[in-house]
Amino acid sequence: MFRIIDPKHGKAIADYICYPDEEQPLQGGPLKLFNPLHPYLKKTVTRYEAVNMLEPIFVNGRKVYELPNLDEIRAYHREQMNLFWPEYQRKLNPEIYRVNISPAAWNMKQKLIAEHVKSTEE
């Protein structure tokens, strides 16, 4: 999972869910974003930074992550909140933040839904 950031403004564009072996966000090429609830709503971003949002805790059974102290957690939270435009943070009628999935993950989701619907119809 990646946070896609506009380098010009330093603000988040969207979050992008994909399989771990997908390298599209890291390559920096055009990234096609679409709303999973409304797939006809599409946007392609070309200039962006992809920041990995998942941090491994254990690798091969060994702990590889040290828990930050409370001040570091607070600082990280402030940094993340500063990535969002004010319209996402307002209390009254906030704008909906985009969470997108890769085409491969979308296709797998649709396949699993179709298999589930088929099995319940039998």
Side-chain angles (χ1 to χ4, degrees):
M1 181 167 187
F2 295 91
R3 179 147 292 147
I4 307 302
I5 299 174
D6 177 355
K8 181 179 177 183
H9 299 103
K11 298 291 185 185
I13 299 169
D15 287 352
Y16 188 76
I17 300 171
C18 60
Y19 289 112
D21 59 344
E22 288 186 64
E23 295 189 14
Q24 176 61 27
L26 295 175
Q27 292 174 349
L31 186 62
K32 181 180 174 184
L33 303 175
F34 67 95
N35 186 323
L37 296 176
H38 307 287
Y40 52 86
L41 297 175
K42 300 175 185 176
K43 176 180 183 177
T44 301
V45 292
T46 54
R47 293 186 200 138
Y48 62 88
E49 294 175 24
V51 178
N52 192 347
M53 294 177 58
L54 301 177
E55 185 75 33
I57 307 298
F58 291 93
V59 174
N60 296 326
R62 293 189 175 265
K63 186 178 170 188
V64 295
Y65 180 79
E66 290 299 322
L67 185 65
N69 65 41
L70 191 54
D71 289 332
E72 292 169 330
I73 293 171
R74 286 182 181 133
Y76 176 78
H77 174 72
R78 279 191 294 278
E79 288 172 14
Q80 292 301 304
M81 290 302 291
N82 286 334
L83 289 176
F84 295 97
W85 293 97
E87 54 262 29
Y88 296 113
Q89 298 184 36
R90 63 184 174 221
K91 303 293 183 208
L92 185 62
N93 298 323
E95 185 69 32
I96 296 172
Y97 182 69
R98 296 173 60 125
V99 177
N100 300 270
I101 62 177
S102 71
W106 169 257
N107 291 335
M108 176 59 76
K109 176 184 174 184
Q110 296 306 307
K111 178 183 171 213
L112 293 171
I113 289 171
E115 288 173 3
H116 176 72
V117 168
K118 182 179 176 183
S119 69
T120 59
E121 290 176 349
E122 296 174 348

